[in-house]
Amino acid sequence: MENFSENLILVVDDSLVNSKMLHEVLENVGFEVILAGNGEEALQQLQNYKPDIILLDVMMPKMDGFKTCSRIKSTAAIQDIPIIFMTSLTEPEERIRGLNLGAVDFITKPFQPAEILARVNIHLQLRGLTKNLEQQVDERTAKWSEALNKLQASQMQLVQSEKMSALGQLVAGIGHEINNPLNFISGNLNYISDQVEGLLRIVRLYQNVLPNPGEEITAELEEIDLDYVERDLPKMIQSMREGTKRMTEISTSLRIFSRSDNLEKQAIDLHESIESTLLILGHRLKPTDTRSAIEVIKHYGDLPLVPCFPGLINQVFMNLLANAIDAIDEANEPINDDSQSEDRFESYFDNYSENHSQSRSERHSDRPYQIMIYSEFAEAQNEVTIWIQDSGKGVPSELLQKIFEPLFTTKPIGKGTGLGLSMSYQIVVEKHCGTLTCNSTPGYGTEFAVTLPLKT
Ligand SMILES: Nc1ncnc2c1ncn2[C@@H]1O[C@H](COP(=O)(O)OP(=O)(O)OP(=O)(O)O)[C@@H](O)[C@H]1O
Ligand SMILES: [Mg+2]
């Protein structure tokens, strides 16, 4: 005979004779049996045990079988245990009522031991199969949803890197396009300056030789105010030189930002990378309806060149700085109470100063719209660290663990994809064997530290 020793059966019957008989029959073939004399007792037993099947008498004092059945079926933890009614009722309506309440079968009194065992056995098998099936469905669903999540994450990652590479190409294009006309202007500025000076000298010579050039020329000389032109022209040319110098810097920065040569590591100046990223993000630092301009305060240390994939490292700075700006914007959204922000920031920066090294101790400031960038070369560890600190809304401590997870975002749909930090983490930790950590005090601000080893 089959071994049922793993199966526990609850027998609910108010007749001692019946209970005893069922107990014997079932135990003889290896079932474990627990007994209850009525519906209430059965519900009590079910608080301590989870039987594999319930044999339930219909006619019982206090709480009859139908009521007990409905109570079991409305209790989530036990509702899936199969119930077999035991009844001498032969009325079909009673059977239908029992089945409607969720029972799986009926055993008719007086009992035939062989019938009891056959029915119990078949329902246990059915239950086993159902459980197995449910488990398989659960496992597959879990697998599918994991696969779906992965797919979503990699799709988003693709979109993100596409976006970065499109931005890179655009920026490289602009950098390249403005370079030619720029060279043209700055190259010609020197000639213009010489030639204009030459023209002015000639005019002065004419004036010396012909002190009275006649009415028409005298009127024209007064009209253009030659003395003023002579004083003003060198200044104009100087400011044009400064303008073209600035544009050359911008064009260089654009080209540095768009370095897409990610295949090989190069020794790069990280400050250049940060500067070029700040340039690209420059428009976002400007005043908005809800805040004044964001001030970027830099305390750059003496950094050696660092071996990096330049395009990727730019992407990290881009993500960290864009997040910092977002956090400042979010801290200054109209719903927030701005009146206290200055105090809050003061104490935040005070706290930070105490914990950080000398070179970064001057960070105290009254202004709440700030991004501070620090860099340091730790010779002993042979690594460099860049700290990017903002006076934004901060990260609640319970979310600190989550922010590096792919797709985690607190930003509205369409604004954040939740990939910036996870990609940055990958770039710093996996591609550069560095570390990327975050410290934050909600309501005061956040600091990210990127550490990159000089030898990998
Ligand atoms: N400087 C910061 N201050 C406060 N919260 C931050 C800061 N940086 C990141 N976070 C939090 O971490 C979350 C994840 O950042 P992450 O850069 O990965 O995604 P995102 O900025 O939401 O979207 P995107 O993919 O566009 O970057 C943000 O939604 C935000 O809640
Ligand atoms: Mg981001």
Side-chain angles (χ1 to χ4, degrees):
M1 174 139 311
E2 214 170 320
N3 179 14
F4 296 108
S5 61
E6 284 166 29
N7 291 309
L8 180 67
I9 300 186
L10 172 63
V11 173
V12 191
D13 201 320
D14 61 327
S15 143
L16 260 179
V17 183
N18 282 345
S19 298
K20 229 176 139 195
M21 187 270 227
L22 287 166
H23 194 187
E24 246 179 58
V25 170
L26 295 166
E27 256 189 0
N28 273 346
V29 292
F31 287 118
E32 243 185 85
V33 181
I34 44 173
L35 299 173
N38 56 52
E40 272 173 12
E41 258 182 59
L43 292 172
Q44 262 168 19
Q45 292 278 43
L46 288 169
Q47 287 181 0
N48 303 320
Y49 298 96
K50 191 165 182 204
D52 296 285
I53 210 157
I54 300 171
L55 300 184
L56 185 57
D57 188 20
V58 175
M59 308 282 266
M60 288 183 296
K62 286 192 189 164
M63 191 190 287
D64 71 9
F66 291 138
K67 187 137 190 244
T68 313
C69 180
S70 344
R71 293 279 291 274
I72 294 172
K73 291 297 166 194
S74 59
T75 310
I78 49 175
Q79 64 189 183
D80 61 332
I81 303 173
I83 294 174
I84 301 179
F85 274 124
M86 305 181 288
T87 176
S88 46
L89 301 170
T90 45
E91 292 298 316
E93 303 87 70
E94 292 296 327
R95 292 187 171 241
I96 290 166
R97 189 177 163 203
L99 293 170
N100 281 340
L101 285 172
V104 291
D105 206 353
F106 277 85
I107 299 174
T108 318
K109 293 177 186 172
F111 300 129
Q112 302 296 321
E115 186 196 352
I116 294 171
L117 290 177
R119 288 191 191 269
V120 164
N121 191 11
I122 203 142
H123 287 295
L124 283 174
Q125 273 179 6
L126 269 176
R127 182 159 197 248
L129 286 174
T130 315
K131 267 187 172 171
N132 200 335
L133 211 65
E134 276 169 1
Q135 198 184 338
Q136 278 185 23
V137 170
D138 284 350
E139 275 168 15
R140 281 198 196 162
T141 314
K143 262 190 203 156
W144 280 113
S145 72
E146 196 193 321
L148 191 70
N149 279 345
K150 273 191 190 155
L151 193 71
Q152 263 177 345
S154 55
Q155 238 173 6
M156 302 278 260
Q157 220 152 336
L158 259 174
V159 171
Q160 181 91 351
S161 21
E162 277 295 311
K163 244 171 40 186
M164 280 308 288
S165 106
L167 179 67
Q169 278 170 15
L170 181 78
V171 164
I174 296 172
H176 182 77
E177 287 305 318
I178 64 173
N179 217 29
N180 282 340
L182 198 59
N183 284 338
F184 189 72
I185 295 171
S186 63
N188 285 339
L189 261 181
N190 291 332
Y191 296 118
I192 287 181
S193 162
D194 287 352
Q195 287 171 4
V196 167
E197 266 173 36
L199 281 174
L200 285 171
R201 270 203 312 276
I202 295 275
V203 174
R204 289 298 180 207
L205 264 178
Y206 269 116
Q207 279 181 322
N208 286 343
V209 178
L210 287 173
N212 294 311
E215 235 174 68
E216 200 182 338
I217 293 180
T218 309
E220 192 63 32
L221 280 173
E222 270 168 23
E223 172 73 25
I224 63 164
D225 193 353
L226 194 65
D227 289 339
Y228 173 78
V229 171
E230 239 182 334
R231 270 180 282 122
D232 200 43
L233 252 174
K235 286 187 208 154
M236 268 163 50
I237 286 175
Q238 185 50 31
S239 70
M240 283 162 85
R241 279 214 178 93
E242 273 158 26
T244 51
K245 195 174 145 226
R246 176 82 191 110
M247 281 172 78
T248 311
E249 283 165 11
I250 292 173
S251 142
T252 311
S253 255
L254 291 180
R255 276 179 293 139
I256 287 171
F257 179 83
S258 62
R259 284 187 291 212
S260 56
D261 30 24
N262 291 331
L263 297 177
E264 251 177 59
K265 276 193 183 167
Q266 295 169 20
I268 65 159
D269 176 350
L270 290 180
H271 296 150
E272 258 187 3
S273 287
I274 296 171
E275 288 299 317
S276 70
T277 308
L278 282 171
L279 182 93
I280 305 279
L281 285 171
H283 67 287
R284 293 209 50 207
L285 301 170
K286 291 187 177 145
T288 68
D289 293 344
T290 51
R291 58 155 176 82
S292 44
I294 296 174
E295 193 184 359
V296 179
I297 299 169
K298 296 167 225 167
H299 294 269
Y300 290 159
D302 259 344
L303 293 195
L305 298 181
V306 181
C308 285
F309 296 109
L312 294 181
I313 284 297
N314 287 344
Q315 207 171 319
V316 172
F317 292 136
M318 179 84 169
N319 280 320
L320 296 181
L321 288 165
N323 280 349
I325 298 170
D326 286 344
I328 293 173
D329 281 346
E330 285 171 31
N332 292 288
E333 272 165 5
I335 10 157
N336 287 349
D337 179 8
D338 278 353
S339 58
Q340 296 165 358
S341 56
E342 303 233 341
D343 290 350
R344 290 184 295 151
F345 287 109
E346 229 167 289
S347 55
Y348 171 66
F349 288 117
D350 281 349
N351 281 342
Y352 256 107
S353 306
E354 283 164 21
N355 302 331
H356 287 68
S357 64
Q358 192 70 39
S359 63
R360 296 188 290 124
S361 62
E362 315 138 32
R363 59 180 63 190
H364 169 82
S365 167
D366 294 334
R367 290 210 51 201
Y369 311 118
Q370 281 179 342
I371 293 177
M372 314 248 198
I373 307 174
Y374 298 86
S375 64
E376 217 169 63
F377 169 42
E379 216 168 341
Q381 285 81 28
N382 202 27
E383 63 188 24
V384 300
T385 304
I386 310 277
W387 290 266
I388 295 177
Q389 193 187 88
D390 64 67
S391 57
K393 62 170 188 165
V395 184
S397 57
E398 67 274 15
L399 296 187
L400 261 185
Q401 297 302 316
K402 297 196 134 222
I403 56 171
F404 294 106
E405 285 175 13
L407 301 179
F408 174 79
T409 181
T410 54
K411 293 169 193 170
I413 296 172
K415 185 147 195 297
T417 59
L419 285 173
L421 284 181
S422 73
M423 288 183 73
S424 303
Y425 190 87
Q426 234 178 354
I427 292 171
V428 173
V429 176
E430 287 169 26
K431 298 257 178 203
H432 293 88
C433 305
T435 59
L436 175 60
T437 56
C438 174
N439 252 308
S440 185
T441 311
Y444 293 95
T446 307
E447 182 183 76
F448 282 87
V450 181
T451 298
L452 298 170
L454 287 184
K455 264 215 168 116
T456 50

